[in-house]
Structures are given as C-alpha cells and as structure tokens.
C-alpha cells in the first residue's frame, strides 16, 4: 500500500530529517502522522519508481525474503489477473438470464446479426423478438435496409459473439461480457502504473468489478460499455506513452560527477521524442470509441489536450525555460497526427461493410437525390456517408421525446434515476407477504461506491488544483470527458447508463482517496528517508487507523454489491424484499 499524496517541499536545514525546522502547527500535525516529504530527485520526478511492500509485512506472514521478492515480481500481473478472474466469473454466471430481449437489445442484437451476415443493418419487422427467442433459425434476415443512428463498430463486436454462439441472449451478450471483464484487467494495470502501486491498482480493478452499473452493462448487449472499453484502453495507452517519453527525456539529460541527474534547458527544449507507437494506438482506440457512439468524439478532444499538456509538464520538469514553445515546435503536430487523423481514418474504415454493399440505408443517395451537388467530384460513397451522418446528427440533437427512465446528468452521480432493463412479476409467491415476487434488471451503480465517489471527486479536484498532481488531473479529465458533454443536451432524452463511460475513472478517484487515507508505508520509501521507521508510533498508529478505515469502506462496498445482486441479475425475490432495495422513490 502506498500514499497517493506526495509533498514536494525542499528543506533548508539539512540537520533536520524533514529538511527544515518544524513549526508548532507542523509538530501538532506530526502527532497525527503527518509527514512532509522532501522533493524527489529529478530522475524520480520524470520516472517514479514502483512502491514495494515493506519487509515488516513479510516477516509478520513468516515469508522468507527470497520468496517475498518472487511474490512481488509476480504480483504485478498475478494480482490483476486474480481480480479479473473474479470479475469474469461474476459476469459470465448465467449470462443468458433473463432469457429475454431486454431494453435496447431489441435494436443492437438484431442489427448486429444483420451486419455480420450481410454487411448492413436490416429493417426488422415489429414483434419479432419472441420468435427469435423461441426459434432464431426460423427468422429470416431482412434485406431491406434499416435506418440506424449509431456507427457500426459496437454492433460488429456484438455480432462476433452471435457468430460464435448463435442468435441467442448468450450469443449477443458474450462479447460485451468479455470486454467488461478485460476492462477490469485494464484498470488494474492502469491504476498500478498511475499510482506506482500494485495494491492500489488491484483495488481500483476490484471496485470496478463490484460496481453495479458496470456489471449490468457487461451483461447487456448495448453499446455504451463498448465505448467505455475503448476509452479506457486509449487512456491506458496514453499513460504508457507518458512514461516512455519521460523516460526518454530522463535518459538524455546530463549526469554530474556525483551521478546525479541534472536539468538541461537545451536538451529539454530540442530533444525529439521519436516514434511514439502507444499514442498512435490511443488514436486507434479513440477512433473505435467514436465509431461505436459519437460521444467518443468529446473524449478524443479531451485526451488530445491532456497528452499535449503532459508533454509540456515533462519538458518543464527536464529544465525547459519555454516548455509551451518547445511543445509547439516539437510535439504538437506529431500529437495531432497520431490521434485525430488516425481516429477519423479508423471511423471511416469501420463503415466498410456499408461501403462495399449497394443496399445500405442512404448508400445510393449520391447517385440519386444528391447527384446535382457541387461536391459531385467526390466519390459517391463518401458523399452518401456524409449525408447519412448529417441525418443522424439531426436525429440525435432533435431527440426530445419523453421516456419513463430518462434523467438529467446532474442526477447521475447520486444515482437519481436508474433504468429498469427488465421487470417481471410473479404471483403465488409464498415467501412474500404480498404473495408476489419480482424479477428486475436495474441499471444502477453500487450506491455506496458512487456516493463515496462524490467525495472522491471533490478530493481529486482539490488535489489537482492546489497540489498540481497530474494523476488527479488525468482522473478528472476522464470523468469530465464522459460526463460534462451531456450537459449541452439537457433537453435531449438521455439516461443514467451513459455514465458507464466514466465509471473506471470514478473507481480511480475513490482509489486515490483511499490511498491517501492509508498513508505512506512505514520503513520504506520516503518515510525511511526521513528516518521514520516502524518504531515511529505516531506514524504507525495513523497508518493502522487508515488501513482499518479503508478496509471497512471496501467491505461495505462489496456488501452493497451483494445486497443489490438480485436487482443486477434479474433474480426473483419476494416483492417486500424488492421494495426494501428501493432506497429512493425515484428508483421505482
């Protein structure tokens, strides 16, 4: 375990282990375990080391040092894989239940089946869902084109599962469950790299594994979890790119006669960071997000700005006198070219199935209604696609029809109005006082986790604004990119489950706050440098209380997930127990 709240004050008096003579208020804070940290070395600022568990933990567990070292090496992948295994078992358990077409699966499951079989979506007859559930082989794929309002990547992914396991609930949910499970692994590894702590990385993944909204969306054939997966993958690629580019800067800086790395303005302002494949991969991931649902465009803009600001910070740390000017000259154009054009190209390629056919909706518009356009020198398929996109945009911004489960984005973080995907009532239920049982799939986050995340977001914003912690800024950027754009469309019909795109960043925010509550490890890292080891009773007492507090909070979140399990899986429970779980009137 490690703290996520490092200080960067440089001491003036080398005789004091803190680097400066503490004031009276600092001495009071020390009684509660407050330990100001000295400024880390330049190398550690550019390429921070990973936290290693202290020897005290291994001695308590009676584990020999050589075995402990091996466990530490394996834990970087072993811990995340273990958390992912738990998440996968939860998500694939009775994945075909309920055996029904729930909520918007009625659109995406059928569109995906048509797409993978004929390259374009068909116009399905009404009331065909029951026939599909009873005998999918008896349902012909419609050849007439269907008007769809979302790009095809998410439906291609859903359709791949249908190709493997058939036109059944398990088939159309399979690939979404795979991406939901793999996203837990991604978050474990991203959190580990972000916080330089395997424990905190696994904690972030565990929180995602037991979040109700992520869990329900992982078991439903909708597009939003697929967007979330590509957004998270793009974020991970950018974090790796940040580490690699800063390490390249560190390797290029001069070392003095004492072996200490020194800043150098010339190197920091002129060094070309070379080929950056991870940022290119981020561009592809963002293009796939955009090619699943258009809200990925906002994430592309936010992450593009974020990675450029990271380059500014890296060159400033390395000694650049004019870091913005240096980034403008050396990094801005490569950053743009490796994200925006790559994302747009990925988006266009995703429409290949529609392009190579002649039956897709609006496919022949350029050759008929649009033949007299002033843009007729462009390829017909491109002009037809552009017209299609214009029509879809008009649909999205004009979608204001009321819906029972629509909600304003202001209410999302407190789970004001969740969406019921499936509800079925059974009579003659002997276990219930009312004689009725209820089965429901409710798209709602784990309440205690989300309400704690409200506090964590306040902490993250404070930490970024007042302490300039890049990790807090990155987490805030992920939340803002997935949440804030919806405030521009408050008149549009929107739903809480759109928030699944930024759920991983909520988990990172909670993890960061919990890491700060635990505090730094005793006897290792900065505390050892300050001379505050395991014999420091104040620090150990504070850390013990912090660990207990975090343990209780995590157990409460897990309990809350288990408590709401019937509402996440459609398990039949007595109606009175179902009502006990309706904590807010707006949940009914």
């Amino acid at each position: 375990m490690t703290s996520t709240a490092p200080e960067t004050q440089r001491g003036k008096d080398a005789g004091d282990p803190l680097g400066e003579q503490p004031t009276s208020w600092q001495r009071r804070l020390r009684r509660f375990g407050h330990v100001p940290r000295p400024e880390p070395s330049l190398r550690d600022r550019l390429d921070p080391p990973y936290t290693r568990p202290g020897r005290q933990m291994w001695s308590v567990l009676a584990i020999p040092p050589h075995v402990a070292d091996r466990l530490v090496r394996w834990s970087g992948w072993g811990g995340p894989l273990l958390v992912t295994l738990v998440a996968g078992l939860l998500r694939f358990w009775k994945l075909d239940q309920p055996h029904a077409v729930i909520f918007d699966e009625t659109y995406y499951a059928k569109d995906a089946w048509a797409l993978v079989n004929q390259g374009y979506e068909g116009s399905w007859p009404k009331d065909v869902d029951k026939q599909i559930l009873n005998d999918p082989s008896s349902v012909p794929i419609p050849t007439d084109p269907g008007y769809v309002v979302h790009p095809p990547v998410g439906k291609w992914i859903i359709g791949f599962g249908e190709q493997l396991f058939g036109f059944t609930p398990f088939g159309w949910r399979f690939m979404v469950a795979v991406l939901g499970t793999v996203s837990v692994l991604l978050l474990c590894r991203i959190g580990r790299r972000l916080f330089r702590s395997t424990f905190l990385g696994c904690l972030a993944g565990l929180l995602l594994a037991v979040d109700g909204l992520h869990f329900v969306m992982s078991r439903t054939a909708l597009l939003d979890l697929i967007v979330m997966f590509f957004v998270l993958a793009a974020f991970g690629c950018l974090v790796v790119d940040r580490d690699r580019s800063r390490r390249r800067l560190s390797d290029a800086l001069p070392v003095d006669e004492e072996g200490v790395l020194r800043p150098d303005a010339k190197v920091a302002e002129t060094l070309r960071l070379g080929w950056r494949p991870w940022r290119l991969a981020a561009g592809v991931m963002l293009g796939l997000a955009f090619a699943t649902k258009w809200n990925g465009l906002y994430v592309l803009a936010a992450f593009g700005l974020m990675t450029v600001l990271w380059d500014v910070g890296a060159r400033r740390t390395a000694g650049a006198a004019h870091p913005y000017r240096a980034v403008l000259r050396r990094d801005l154009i490569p950053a743009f070219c490796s994200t925006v054009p790559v994302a747009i190209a990925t988006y266009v390629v995703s429409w290949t199935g529609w392009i190579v056919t002649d039956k897709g909706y609006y496919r022949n518009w350029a050759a008929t209604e649009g033949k007299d356009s002033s843009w007729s020198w462009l390829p017909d398929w491109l002009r037809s696609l552009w017209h299609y996109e214009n029509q879809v945009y008009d649909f999205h911004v004009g979608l204001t029809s009321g819906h029972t489960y629509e909600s304003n984005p202001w209410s999302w973080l407190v789970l004001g109005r969740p969406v019921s995907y499936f509800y079925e009532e059974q009579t003659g239920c002997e276990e219930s006082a009312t004689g009725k049982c209820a089965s429901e799939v409710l798209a709602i986050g784990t309440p205690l986790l989300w309400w704690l995340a409200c506090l964590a977001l306040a902490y993250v914003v404070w930490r970024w604004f007042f302490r300039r912690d890049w990790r807090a800024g990155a987490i805030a950027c992920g939340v803002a990119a997935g949440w804030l754009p919806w405030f521009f469309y408050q008149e549009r019909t929107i739903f809480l489950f759109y928030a699944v795109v930024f759920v991983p960043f909520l988990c990172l925010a909670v993890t960061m706050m919990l890491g700060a509550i635990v505090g730094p490890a005793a006897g290792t890292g900065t505390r050892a440098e300050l001379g505050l080891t395991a014999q420091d009773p104040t620090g150990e007492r504070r850390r013990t209380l912090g660990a207990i507090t975090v343990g209780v909070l995590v157990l409460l979140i897990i309990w809350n997930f288990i408590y709401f399990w019937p509402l996440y899986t459609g398990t039949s429970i007595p109606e009175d127990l179902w009502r006990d779980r309706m904590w807010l009137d707006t949940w009914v």
Side-chain angles (χ1 to χ4, degrees), residues 187-245:
L187 191 64
C188 287
R189 294 290 297 177
I190 290 170
R192 179 179 183 270
R193 184 174 289 270
L194 204 65
F195 303 124
R196 289 303 196 258
S197 166
T198 299
F199 169 77
L200 291 182
C202 291
L203 177 59
L206 176 63
L207 294 178
L208 186 64
V210 297
D211 174 64
L213 182 61
H214 186 274
F215 176 79
V216 171
M217 297 299 289
S218 297
R219 293 167 54 89
T220 311
L222 270 65
L223 302 180
D224 299 87
L225 184 124
I226 300 173
V227 177
M228 180 280 305
F229 175 82
F230 289 128
V231 167
L232 183 62
F235 181 77
C237 290
L238 291 177
V239 172
V240 175
D241 173 75
R242 181 185 185 275
D243 281 355
R244 289 167 64 94
S245 60

Side-chain angles (χ1 to χ4, degrees), residues 304-321:
L305 177 61
M306 180 180 68
T307 188
V308 170
L309 292 178
W310 283 353
D311 286 345
V312 171
R315 292 190 181 274
R316 179 189 290 118
T317 301

Side-chain angles (χ1 to χ4, degrees), residues 361-376:
Y361 204 86
Y362 281 132
R363 177 62 184 85
N364 298 312
W365 175 86
T368 55
E369 294 95 325
K371 62 182 178 180
D372 297 326
S373 169
S374 59
W375 298 91
S376 58

Side-chain angles (χ1 to χ4, degrees), residues 307-378:
T307 188
V308 170
L309 292 178
W310 283 353
D311 286 345
V312 171
R315 292 190 181 274
R316 179 189 290 118
T317 301
H322 304 285
Y324 285 96
R325 186 188 305 170
V327 168
L328 183 62
R329 291 177 176 176
R330 304 293 182 186
D331 303 319
L332 187 61
I333 293 178
F336 176 84
C337 292
S338 59
T339 52
V340 177
V342 170
I344 293 174
T346 302
Y347 180 85
V348 174
V349 170
S350 73
W351 283 89
T352 299
W354 179 88
I355 293 171
V356 300
T357 65
D358 59 359
K359 294 183 179 181
Y361 204 86
Y362 281 132
R363 177 62 184 85
N364 298 312
W365 175 86
T368 55
E369 294 95 325
K371 62 182 178 180
D372 297 326
S373 169
S374 59
W375 298 91
S376 58
W377 54 275
L378 290 173

